[in-house]
């Protein structure tokens, strides 16, 4: 309660500060993600990371161009594609040129289509789509367009890394794949099947199923099936409450093997798993938190934790979104000519705050970066999640993962 | 075969949990004729209160205190909210409870934030009670069954065997007559509302650690509770029990077995169109039972409404 009050005062101060800064005409970034409903936790934490990154990495360094500041404007899309399109229109009407969205590929698919259409019809107020989390491969393949940039490694790249790890573990003979019933869950499942049959044809896929997203009350029946299948490893793309529900349920019902996941950390999930998830949960992600890549990264995390004691730096890539956008605006010499900014982003190489380099692949606007497999544990954790003492520690790393993976993207350039 | 036994137990747990919610709701509905949209929100409050109390006093005090708090809150809502709105008819009442549900969700998010709460089962119950063919049944599940059955028996006893129960039942059907006999009917209403919400609170307390405590938990369970009372018959405790168990088992079994629409259609003599991904019927043919498990209760509700509009155990027309 007290923390929330403090937060409220901070927010009020922040509004006051930004109101003064607004006179110098801010570069506004619309953040369209769920801020209410079952996935509100994930959305709100993402918003904080954006606000912090904009403040710390751009505004405190003097802003872009001749001192223009970044400003994050939040829009609640309730994780619904329909609502997102309405919010997108509101954002465009407010003159915002940059749209950041990440939660749910279903939403991202709707947005990228709408933005493509909008930009073709309205060459005077085009917008860019900065996708920081939606990892459906189609977004940088069949459905790619010039205005869409993805800063997270897509589901295929991540699955490539996961299956490498599984293929290297001899005693895994049976794998169970389970996910949420929508584009991303399906993409994860098909990639897992494809890579596994390629890399380890002897592995038996004992289950491959989808469950309704955000609607399952109790995962017990699913975990019973997983137990009955005698799986040695589970692969899931679940996130939010669905991840916690599934993970807790299988562990409770006696599963001890590894659970390879995309999003089983932070937003209360790490704390809720606690001891139960230790040694089982494996996360594939970019951005290494433990051990921290550099003193600068460590200082950044500490500063974030000082500002948001209850928050988590769970989406490291957000710093890349902000830094690369700032760099591109400076290179383009304009914060409104999005074609020039997009051209500057294309092929950009950038020093990742979290170690290594990143490269925005021009063919499909997929950011190529180091991808890690992390393990959920309380050993050797410098920066925990949810103040729980538990966090994720890097187990192995694939540098510049999928640098020359194929893409079916045929981009129409303006 | 072993899996069937396990699924029966799992379905029982789900069903009994639903029952604790629907028992209160069905009584409230039959009494006031108002659908309490905020009912699942009281369930959520139960979980959050219990979590907060468990930090300081442990799980067991949470189990004891949280439902009482929720019940008092519920009674207060009836006394100072619903009763005033009541004179304007059912629609304002409906809107009132709907608004209340939204309000409670916002308040919960304001106080506790939007993240999952690390609300855990008590350590004393963190062991495997028994296992059927490698499927462990956590002791906590046995405890959940025990609590819900105790509450059901207690409720049944109070409603059918005691004087209070008889007055409540009479007040449900003939409030005017009961009032004329000198009973304080508004007070009875308040009491039933309080007890009903307290039951939802109990459900929240014991479901919070297993189904995770987060601001969306009321939303996830909200609509299914209404389905339960419609299927069971409004105002019937037995109906609520039977419908809850039916839904619990229906969804559990549908999720546990991969029944495929393809098999069903082939048995019925249809030919699978090839190639399937070009067919307009692709979605129908590739359907599996886990995918539709959560909408099966709604289909059941529609069927009940068509063939038996007063529900399985209902005594009057809905």
């Amino acid at each position: 309660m007290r923390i929330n009050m403090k937060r409220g005062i901070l927010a009020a101060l922040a509004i006051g500060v930004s109101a003064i800064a607004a006179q110098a005409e801010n570069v506004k970034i619309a953040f369209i993600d769920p801020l209410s409903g079952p996935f509100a936790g994930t959305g709100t934490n993402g918003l904080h990371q954006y606000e912090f990154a904009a403040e710390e990495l751009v505004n405190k360094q003097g802003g872009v161009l001749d001192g223009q500041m970044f400003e994050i404007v939040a829009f609640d899309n309730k994780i619904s594609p329909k609502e997102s399109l309405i919010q997108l229109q509101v954002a465009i009407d407010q003159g915002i040129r940059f749209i950041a969205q990440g939660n749910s590929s279903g939403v991202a698919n709707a947005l990228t289509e709408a933005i493509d259409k909008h930009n073709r019809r309205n060459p005077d107020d085009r917008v860019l789509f900065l996708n920081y989390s939606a990892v459906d491969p189609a977004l940088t393949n069949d459905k790619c367009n010039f205005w869409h940039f993805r800063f997270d490694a897509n589901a295929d790249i991540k699955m490539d890394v996961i299956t490498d790890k599984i293929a290297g573990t001899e005693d895994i003979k049976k794998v169970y794949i389970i996910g949420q019933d929508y584009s991303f869950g399906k993409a994860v499942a098909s990639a897992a099947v494809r890579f596994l049959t390629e890399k380890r044809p002897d592995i038996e896929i004992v289950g491959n199923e989808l469950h309704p997203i955000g609607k399952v009350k109790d995962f017990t029946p699913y975990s019973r099936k997983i137990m009955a299948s005698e799986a040695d490893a589970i692969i899931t793309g679940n996130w939010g409450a669905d991840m916690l529900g599934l993970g807790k349920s299988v562990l409770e019902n006696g599963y001890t093997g590894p659970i390879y996941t995309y999003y089983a950390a932070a937003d209360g999930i790490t704390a809720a798993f606690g001891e139960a998830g230790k040694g089982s949960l494996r996360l594939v992600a970019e951005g290494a938190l433990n051990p921290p890549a550099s003193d600068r990264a460590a200082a950044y995390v500490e500063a974030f934790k000082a500002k948001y004691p209850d928050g988590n730096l769970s989406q490291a890539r957000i710093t890349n979104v902000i830094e690369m956008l700032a760099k591109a605006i400076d290179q383009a010499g304009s914060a409104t000519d999005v074609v020039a900014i997009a051209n500057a982003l294309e092929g950009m190489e950038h020093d990742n705050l979290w170690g290594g380099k990143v490269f925005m692949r021009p063919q499909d606007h997929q950011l190529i970066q180091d991808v890690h497999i992390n393990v959920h544990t309380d050993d050797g954790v410098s920066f925990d999640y949810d103040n729980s003492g538990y966090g994720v520690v890097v187990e192995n790393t694939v540098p510049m993962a999928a640098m020359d993976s194929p893409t079916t993207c045929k981009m129409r350039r303006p | 075969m072993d899996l069937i036994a396990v699924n029966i137990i799992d379905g029982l747990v789900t069903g009994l949990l639903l029952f604790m919610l629907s028992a209160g709701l069905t009584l409230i509905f039959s009494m006031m004729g108002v659908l309490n949209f905020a009912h699942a929100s009281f369930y959520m409050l139960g979980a959050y209160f219990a979590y907060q109390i468990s930090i300081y006093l442990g799980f067991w005090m949470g189990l004891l205190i949280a439902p009482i708090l929720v019940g008092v809150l519920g009674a207060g809502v009836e006394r100072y909210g619903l009763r005033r709105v009541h004179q304007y008819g059912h629609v304002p009442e409906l809107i009132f409870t709907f608004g209340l549900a939204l309000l409670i969700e916002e308040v919960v998010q304001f106080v506790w934030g939007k993240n999952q709460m690390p609300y855990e089962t008590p350590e004393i119950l963190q062991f495997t009670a028994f296992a059927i063919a490698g499927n462990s049944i956590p002791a906590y599940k046995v405890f959940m069954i025990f609590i819900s059955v105790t509450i059901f028996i207690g409720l049944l006893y109070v409603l059918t065997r005691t004087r209070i129960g008889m007055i409540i039942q009479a007040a449900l059907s003939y409030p005017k007559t009961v009032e004329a006999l000198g009973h304080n009917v508004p007070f009875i209403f308040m009491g039933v509302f309080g007890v009903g919400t307290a039951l939802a609170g109990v459900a929240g307390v014991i479901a919070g650690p297993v189904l995770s405590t987060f601001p969306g938990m009321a939303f996830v369970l909200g609509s299914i509770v209404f389905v339960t009372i419609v299927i069971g018959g409004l105002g019937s405790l037995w109906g609520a029990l039977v419908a809850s168990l039916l839904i619990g088992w229906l969804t559990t079994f549908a999720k546990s077995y991969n029944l495929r629409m393809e098999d069903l259609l082939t048995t019925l003599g249809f030919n699978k169109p090839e190639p399937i991904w070009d067919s307009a019927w692709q979605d129908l043919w590739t359907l599996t039972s886990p995918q539709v498990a959560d909408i099966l209760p709604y289909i059941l509700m529609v069927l009940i409404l068509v063939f038996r509009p007063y529900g399985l155990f209902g005594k009057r027309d809905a």
Side-chain angles (χ1 to χ4, degrees):
Chain A
M1 189 68 186
R2 186 173 298 156
I3 291 161
N4 273 317
M5 292 234 303
K6 253 194 228 160
R7 222 187 254 173
I9 294 166
L10 274 177
L13 283 175
I15 291 167
V17 171
S18 61
I20 299 163
Q23 290 155 357
E25 210 184 327
N26 287 344
V27 177
K28 289 184 185 168
I29 301 167
F31 175 88
I32 305 184
D33 258 321
L35 300 171
S36 64
F39 298 114
T42 319
T44 314
N45 196 32
L47 176 61
H48 289 160
Q49 292 177 64
Y50 261 102
E51 286 169 341
F52 186 76
E55 191 59 40
E56 201 74 7
L57 300 173
V58 175
N59 296 356
K60 280 195 184 163
Q61 320 289 332
V64 290
L65 301 173
D66 45 357
Q68 291 187 31
M69 296 294 155
F70 270 17
E71 181 188 343
I72 311 294
V73 188
F75 296 89
D76 180 12
N77 70 359
K78 304 180 181 74
I79 202 94
S80 127
K82 213 172 90 194
E83 189 71 26
S84 307
L85 295 182
I86 298 170
Q87 301 298 348
L88 170 69
Q89 201 51 53
V90 176
I92 291 174
D93 290 347
Q94 291 181 8
I96 298 176
R97 303 292 184 145
F98 307 101
I99 311 291
Q101 183 269 341
N103 293 313
S104 168
S105 294
V107 172
N109 274 317
L111 279 180
T112 192
E113 218 167 273
I115 288 173
D116 190 28
K117 222 177 265 173
H118 168 86
N119 285 356
R120 256 185 285 146
R121 290 176 189 163
N122 308 280
D124 296 331
D125 58 346
R126 286 166 168 161
V127 295
L128 281 194
F129 181 15
L130 309 168
N131 165 10
Y132 70 95
S133 259
V135 296
D136 181 356
L139 290 164
T140 44
N141 283 292
D142 294 351
K143 290 183 183 160
C144 79
N145 65 56
F146 181 70
W147 317 104
H148 167 268
F149 290 87
R150 168 159 39 211
F151 291 84
D152 198 357
N154 73 36
D156 280 0
I157 298 174
K158 288 183 174 181
M159 187 52 71
D160 199 2
V161 174
I162 289 182
T163 47
D164 271 348
K165 169 92 182 164
I166 291 179
T169 315
E170 280 304 316
D171 38 327
I172 294 180
K173 300 264 182 269
K174 291 177 173 175
V175 173
Y176 202 102
I177 305 163
I178 180 165
Q180 293 153 320
D181 194 359
Y182 77 118
S183 59
F184 167 60
K186 287 178 186 169
V188 168
S190 73
V193 173
R194 198 172 69 236
F195 285 124
L196 279 178
T197 44
E198 220 172 78
K199 292 176 188 171
R200 276 277 299 277
D202 62 308
I203 284 185
E204 188 189 348
I205 293 166
V206 287
N208 183 359
E209 75 176 316
L210 301 166
H211 65 76
I213 172 172
K215 292 206 174 63
V216 179
K217 299 181 289 292
D218 186 1
F219 278 94
T220 309
Y222 296 102
S223 42
R224 294 290 184 220
K225 258 193 291 187
I226 294 171
M227 288 308 289
S229 73
E230 295 173 339
D232 302 314
I234 299 172
I235 298 177
T236 177
N238 278 15
W239 46 284
D242 282 344
M243 180 62 233
L244 182 61
L246 174 71
K248 262 187 131 178
S249 173
V250 288
L251 292 169
E252 222 159 64
N253 289 314
Y255 178 79
T256 51
I259 306 171
Y260 289 96
T261 68
Y262 286 62
Y263 303 114
D267 306 331
I269 295 182
T270 301
F273 270 119
E275 183 65 24
K278 187 179 172 180
S280 265
L281 290 174
R282 295 273 190 300
L283 269 96
V284 61
E286 37 58 68
L289 216 52
N290 294 304
S294 61
D295 292 346
R296 184 171 165 240
Y300 184 81
V301 184
E302 269 157 22
F304 180 82
K305 289 301 279 186
K307 184 161 185 193
Y308 299 104
D310 290 348
N312 287 307
L313 251 174
S314 51
Q315 290 162 315
R317 53 199 171 272
I318 287 173
T319 61
N320 288 332
V321 180
I322 295 295
E323 282 187 327
M324 290 174 75
L325 178 63
K327 218 162 147 185
I329 289 176
D330 278 335
Q331 270 179 28
S334 156
T336 47
D337 183 3
V338 298
V339 177
I341 296 167
N343 280 328
L345 269 176
E346 264 193 357
M348 180 186 282
E349 270 193 45
H350 178 72
D351 288 319
N352 192 352
L353 174 58
W354 311 102
K357 279 199 182 304
V358 298
F359 170 63
M360 182 55 80
R361 200 157 70 162
Q363 303 93 297
D364 56 353
H365 293 184
Q366 167 68 53
L367 194 71
I368 302 296
Q369 54 198 324
D370 296 358
V371 178
H372 317 277
I373 297 229
N374 300 289
V375 61
H376 168 103
T377 178
D378 58 350
D379 295 331
V381 175
S382 324
F383 297 107
D384 64 351
Y385 279 143
D386 308 328
N387 305 323
S388 63
Y390 288 86
V392 295
V393 174
V394 171
E395 212 175 35
N396 51 331
T397 302
V398 178
M400 291 312 231
M403 181 64 158
D404 24 62
S405 58
T407 173
T408 58
C409 175
K410 288 188 196 71
M411 212 173 272
R412 273 211 313 201
R413 283 155 205 283
Chain B
M1 215 58 209
D2 298 322
L3 206 54
I4 292 183
V6 176
N7 283 326
I8 287 179
I9 295 173
D10 289 340
L12 187 69
V13 174
T14 313
L16 287 174
L17 188 70
L18 257 184
F19 165 72
M20 273 197 281
L21 276 171
S22 48
L25 188 63
T26 199
L27 285 180
I28 292 169
F29 186 100
S30 56
M31 205 171 58
M32 305 175 169
V34 69
L35 271 175
N36 179 13
F37 275 108
H39 202 71
S41 307
F42 287 103
Y43 153 82
M44 174 162 76
L45 279 181
Y48 273 94
F49 285 170
Y51 163 68
Q52 202 60 46
I53 295 167
S54 74
I55 292 177
Y56 300 107
L57 301 171
F59 177 85
W60 302 103
M61 289 311 278
L63 179 63
L64 201 70
I65 302 173
I68 297 175
L69 282 181
V70 175
V72 170
L73 207 67
V77 164
E78 198 282 333
R79 175 65 184 80
Y80 298 103
L82 262 186
R83 199 180 294 180
R84 290 179 189 209
V85 186
H86 186 71
Q87 54 190 308
Y88 303 111
H90 282 328
V91 175
E93 279 181 318
L94 211 65
I95 294 168
F96 173 79
T97 61
F98 193 69
L100 190 66
L102 297 177
L103 184 73
I104 291 177
E105 189 180 323
E106 288 303 321
V107 168
V108 162
Q109 289 190 7
F110 180 77
V111 178
W112 284 280
K114 292 171 179 177
N115 285 347
Q116 322 261 359
M117 290 293 124
Y119 181 27
E120 289 290 329
T121 53
E123 252 172 53
I124 194 169
L125 288 176
Q126 283 176 1
F127 64 95
T128 304
F130 56 93
I132 303 172
N135 290 290
S136 46
I137 308 288
Y140 192 76
K141 286 219 158 140
V142 180
F143 165 75
M144 283 171 84
I145 296 175
F146 173 75
I147 290 278
S148 344
V149 170
T150 314
I151 283 179
F152 173 68
I153 295 172
L155 262 187
L156 201 66
Y157 178 79
V158 170
L159 279 179
T160 55
R161 294 275 183 278
T162 65
R163 206 177 149 72
I164 303 170
M166 273 189 274
I167 297 169
I168 291 174
Q169 285 198 337
L172 294 184
S173 335
Y174 305 105
K176 290 266 154 58
T177 320
V178 174
E179 200 154 28
L181 287 171
H183 295 288
N184 187 349
V185 172
F187 181 75
I188 294 172
F189 279 15
M190 186 179 86
V192 172
F193 202 93
V195 172
T197 48
L199 278 180
V202 179
V205 177
I206 65 172
V210 277
L211 303 187
S212 63
T213 308
F214 65 108
M217 63 189 291
F219 173 79
V220 171
L221 215 62
S223 53
I224 197 78
V225 180
F226 293 110
V227 175
T228 314
I229 64 164
V230 171
I231 293 176
L234 301 169
S236 162
L237 204 59
W238 279 106
L241 180 72
V242 171
S244 304
L245 292 180
L246 200 64
I247 290 177
W249 280 319
L250 191 68
T251 48
T252 305
F253 276 94
K255 283 174 195 169
S256 294
Y257 294 92
N258 277 332
L259 303 174
R260 296 185 307 164
M261 188 58 103
E262 190 183 328
D263 298 336
L264 178 72
L265 290 174
T266 323
T267 331
L268 290 177
F270 291 97
N271 285 322
K272 186 174 179 176
E274 291 290 347
I276 187 69
W277 48 86
D278 279 340
S279 164
W281 300 100
Q282 183 196 354
D283 285 332
L284 183 69
W285 275 87
T286 51
L287 218 56
T288 60
S289 62
Q291 278 177 295
V292 295
D294 284 311
I295 59 160
L296 287 180
Y298 298 91
I299 297 175
L300 185 66
M301 178 180 77
V302 171
L303 290 179
I304 292 274
L305 283 176
V306 170
F307 295 107
R308 214 181 140 84
Y310 35 89
L312 292 175
F313 288 76
K315 293 194 185 72
R316 56 178 190 193
D317 278 312

